[in-house]
Amino acid sequence: MISPIKISKSLSEMRELAARICRDYLTGAWKTVSAEEIKLKRISGGLSNYLYYVSLPDSTRTSSRSSSVSSTSSITSEPIDLVPRRARKNSPVDFLRNGNLYEPREVLLRIYGHTHGEQALETMLTETVVFALLSERKLGPKLHGIFPGGRIEQYIPARALRTFELSNPRISTKIAEKTAEIHSLDIPVSKEPDWLWCTMERWLKTVESVLSKFQATNDDEALQLEKLRQINFRQEMKWFQEIVKGSQEFPVVFSHNDLQEGNILFKDYESIDHRISDEQDLHQISGDGLNANFSSIILAAPQQGSSRNDVHIEDNGNISSHTARKITVNNMEKTIAGELDDTCDSVLSGNSQLFSDSRDGYDPELIIIDFEYCSYNYRGFDFANHFIEWTFDYISNENYPFYTHKPEQFPNKNQKEQFISAYLRKIYDNDGYNANEEELKEIQKEIDCFTMASHLFWSLWSIVNVYQEIEFGYWNYASCRIDEYFKAKNTYLSLYGYTTKIDKRES
């Protein structure tokens, strides 16, 4: 496990950490601004990472040769050029020497939570490479810098979608088109669909250890733990592998693998305050300038050693939940309440309102973020996983288990076909394309199959993350997802009637 950055309870320590990271990896005024001057806001909602909004003070002027300017200084009325001039081809040294690095006024600071397994570093490196490529192709936020334990991203004045908005016809169509854009990418990583199996296999090792050693701290945990201990997760994974390998050859594409509402940003131009927007960079920065900017990015190996988040194994072989959970999110919030500006939904939200169909002719602009789990994978996984997310709300429930499951919100036949049709029109670059019945039937089979995969995958993920300090009912969620897995398994068998070697041995 890679040691995460220590998240301090102290406001001053968090300011110092954020200021130091930005000073080391950004340019211009960031080099001289003090920790006391920066604006720092914590963004809630992430289940794997800690997110912070960091900005320069209002009195600071940014430019290609920026320096801090006091509020009493005279400021020219000429527009400030926030976009670097195009560097001479193949001359990143000249680009850096001339001081024309792009300088953002505000950034998003992402600090990784726990990462598990021997391949954790490789996974983070792959995700960062993909993030950079998508940034260069204007399909995602800009990458400002990489540091051990996290990265600095472009701040986008937008908000995450809410669960109930996923079913809005216009939003769903736009998500389908964005999904098609992602699936059409040619990314220089392995094209084999091994990610799903390798990730679950890696998690299974941790799951088996956690299930055998975990000590429940309340009645609900004890109930869910006992239930999950009765399930042979490894056998279920092998059974599903045989289903996939014994079926038709499902299409493999570059996939996001986590298309839930929290990873889909909605830009509402009518209500977002553009005064603090960094969006010029998304549309105007040149490819040469971006490549040159990468010359200043430094990737260092994480430091070895223990952290306060490490799991302590007691002499009796049990995992000490007290040690692992000695600092919870609740305790952290109580300590710094009123000091650190904590945004309930997202600092990305600005003043954005909920999307409404009453705005005739309005085309919602969406941005897909968080490619933490991206890989080449079976296309059906992205479809099924996204549709399942229609049924899970991670925001509205402020009490344990901090999510709500509404299976009745799973898309109906018409909603799925609308999504698939919009997806195929984008794939074929043909606005008049109409999917035929056979095509819809084949994709529906993919969805039915990989609905099982999604539930099994995130059940394992939830067990692996039970020691996270983020406030979430991981045991309850794991139990819910495995229940849905078995329901999906029964549905699939009733529809397609497959019998695997494992089924034959059991009979």
Side-chain angles (χ1 to χ4, degrees):
M1 182 172 65
I2 297 174
S3 299
I5 289 178
K6 181 178 180 180
I7 303 298
S8 175
K9 295 187 294 181
S10 165
L11 170 64
S12 60
E13 289 181 6
M14 281 308 303
R15 283 189 176 278
E16 287 290 345
L17 174 64
R20 176 173 56 80
I21 292 173
C22 291
R23 183 165 53 248
D24 289 345
Y25 294 92
L26 298 176
T27 186
W30 292 100
K31 294 293 186 184
T32 57
V33 70
S34 68
E36 292 73 21
E37 291 176 306
I38 65 170
K39 294 181 180 180
L40 180 65
K41 297 182 181 181
R42 185 173 64 251
I43 302 173
S44 63
L47 298 182
S48 301
N49 300 308
Y50 298 94
L51 302 177
Y52 293 88
Y53 165 85
V54 189
S55 75
L56 294 169
D58 294 336
S59 59
T60 301
R61 175 183 175 184
T62 59
S63 69
S64 59
R65 296 177 182 270
S66 298
S67 61
S68 184
V69 180
S70 70
S71 57
T72 58
S73 301
S74 60
I75 300 178
T76 176
S77 59
E78 295 179 0
I80 300 172
D81 182 13
L82 295 181
V83 183
R85 297 181 180 87
R86 183 183 294 272
R88 293 196 302 273
K89 191 173 183 180
N90 299 324
S91 61
V93 174
D94 288 346
F95 184 88
L96 294 172
R97 183 185 297 124
N98 292 335
N100 285 331
L101 285 174
Y102 176 75
E103 178 191 2
R105 172 168 286 279
E106 58 226 333
V107 296
L108 192 68
L109 183 63
R110 180 182 300 274
I111 298 177
Y112 303 136
H114 284 293
T115 51
H116 300 266
E118 297 176 356
Q119 295 180 326
L121 178 58
E122 179 183 346
T123 299
M124 286 195 298
L125 287 173
T126 299
E127 195 261 342
T128 300
V129 169
V130 170
F131 187 97
L133 289 171
L134 293 173
S135 168
E136 186 173 9
R137 299 178 189 187
K138 307 298 186 291
L139 293 176
K142 177 179 169 55
L143 177 64
H144 289 305
I146 307 168
F147 58 89
R151 64 174 180 253
I152 306 172
E153 304 173 11
Q154 175 193 6
Y155 160 80
I156 297 177
R159 66 166 175 83
L161 288 178
R162 299 295 295 271
T163 303
F164 63 86
E165 291 177 308
L166 296 177
S167 60
N168 180 283
R170 277 193 269 177
I171 286 182
S172 183
T173 295
K174 186 61 68 173
I175 295 173
E177 293 171 354
K178 290 291 183 181
T179 303
E181 290 179 356
I182 294 170
H183 287 184
S184 300
L185 292 173
D186 182 9
I187 301 296
V189 296
S190 173
K191 305 297 192 293
E192 293 299 315
D194 297 330
W195 170 84
L196 183 63
W197 316 122
C198 291
T199 303
M200 288 200 291
E201 177 61 37
R202 188 170 70 249
W203 285 349
L204 272 170
K205 296 176 183 178
T206 303
V207 164
E208 290 166 353
S209 175
V210 171
L211 287 175
S212 65
K213 299 175 182 178
F214 187 87
Q215 292 180 324
T217 59
N218 56 58
D219 291 342
D220 184 71
E221 279 188 353
L223 180 65
Q224 308 303 341
L225 182 60
E226 183 59 31
K227 169 185 169 181
L228 292 167
R229 281 173 173 164
Q230 307 305 313
I231 297 170
N232 190 330
F233 285 94
R234 185 170 296 280
Q235 180 171 297
E236 293 302 329
M237 189 188 83
K238 290 181 178 179
W239 177 88
F240 179 71
Q241 276 184 296
E242 289 196 25
I243 286 291
V244 173
K245 294 176 180 179
S247 304
Q248 66 186 50
E249 187 174 344
F250 293 119
V252 174
V253 296
F254 180 73
S255 305
H256 184 280
N257 296 320
D258 193 16
L259 284 171
Q260 51 115 329
E261 64 276 15
N263 292 334
I264 306 172
L265 300 186
F266 169 48
K267 297 185 72 174
D268 185 350
Y269 286 100
E270 291 189 1
S271 55
I272 289 176
D273 182 2
H274 290 282
R275 181 181 60 81
I276 61 172
S277 172
D278 189 24
E279 68 184 7
Q280 294 182 58
D281 173 56
L282 189 62
H283 302 293
Q284 299 179 26
I285 188 166
S286 69
D288 289 347
L290 185 62
N291 290 333
N293 200 7
F294 286 164
S295 300
S296 66
I297 294 175
I298 301 174
L299 180 62
Q303 295 180 354
Q304 300 297 321
S306 61
S307 75
R308 66 182 180 88
N309 292 328
D310 289 342
V311 176
H312 172 65
I313 308 296
E314 297 178 336
D315 293 338
N316 60 8
N318 290 326
I319 297 177
S320 171
S321 58
H322 171 73
T323 301
R325 301 181 181 190
K326 61 183 178 181
I327 301 177
T328 66
V329 172
N330 269 342
N331 290 337
M332 184 185 300
E333 290 178 350
K334 289 177 182 177
T335 302
I336 60 178
E339 295 181 336
L340 193 61
D341 188 350
D342 186 14
T343 309
C344 294
D345 286 336
S346 169
V347 75
L348 303 176
S349 63
N351 297 314
S352 185
Q353 304 299 313
L354 296 179
F355 181 79
S356 172
D357 271 330
S358 63
R359 296 156 72 173
D360 293 336
Y362 180 77
D363 188 24
E365 182 175 351
L366 305 180
I367 302 171
I368 308 297
I369 62 170
D370 281 6
F371 285 77
E372 179 181 358
Y373 296 99
C374 65
S375 69
Y376 276 87
N377 194 16
Y378 300 99
R379 179 179 66 177
F381 186 91
D382 254 355
F383 291 152
N385 192 71
H386 173 68
F387 290 147
I388 291 169
E389 293 296 351
W390 287 34
T391 71
F392 284 96
D393 182 349
Y394 306 104
I395 298 296
S396 300
N397 187 6
E398 297 181 356
N399 300 313
Y400 181 86
F402 307 105
Y403 75 92
T404 303
H405 182 217
K406 298 180 179 179
E408 68 276 7
Q409 292 183 354
F410 191 82
N412 58 37
K413 183 175 183 290
N414 289 336
Q415 289 172 316
K416 284 185 285 187
E417 289 186 355
Q418 177 194 1
F419 184 96
I420 293 168
S421 296
Y423 170 89
L424 292 175
R425 286 194 296 271
K426 191 69 173 180
I427 286 288
Y428 295 127
D429 193 21
N430 182 355
D431 291 339
Y433 183 82
N434 292 313
N436 57 55
E437 285 298 320
E438 187 62 28
E439 203 167 17
L440 292 172
K441 184 178 179 181
E442 289 178 359
I443 294 179
Q444 180 58 55
K445 184 177 180 181
E446 294 176 48
I447 295 169
D448 291 335
C449 181
F450 288 96
T451 293
M452 296 184 287
S454 174
H455 287 306
L456 183 59
F457 182 88
W458 294 113
S459 181
L460 293 173
W461 168 88
S462 198
I463 297 173
V464 165
N465 282 279
V466 293
Y467 292 103
Q468 285 276 14
E469 294 177 355
I470 297 169
E471 192 173 41
F472 186 71
Y474 289 100
W475 283 115
N476 189 285
Y477 188 72
S479 178
C480 176
R481 294 305 295 258
I482 203 63
D483 284 345
E484 293 301 308
Y485 162 77
F486 283 114
K487 292 177 184 177
K489 180 179 179 179
N490 290 334
T491 298
Y492 191 82
L493 290 175
S494 66
L495 289 172
Y496 305 103
Y498 283 114
T499 301
T500 68
K501 295 178 182 178
I502 294 177
D503 293 325
K504 292 178 180 178
R505 287 197 298 269
E506 290 181 345
S507 61

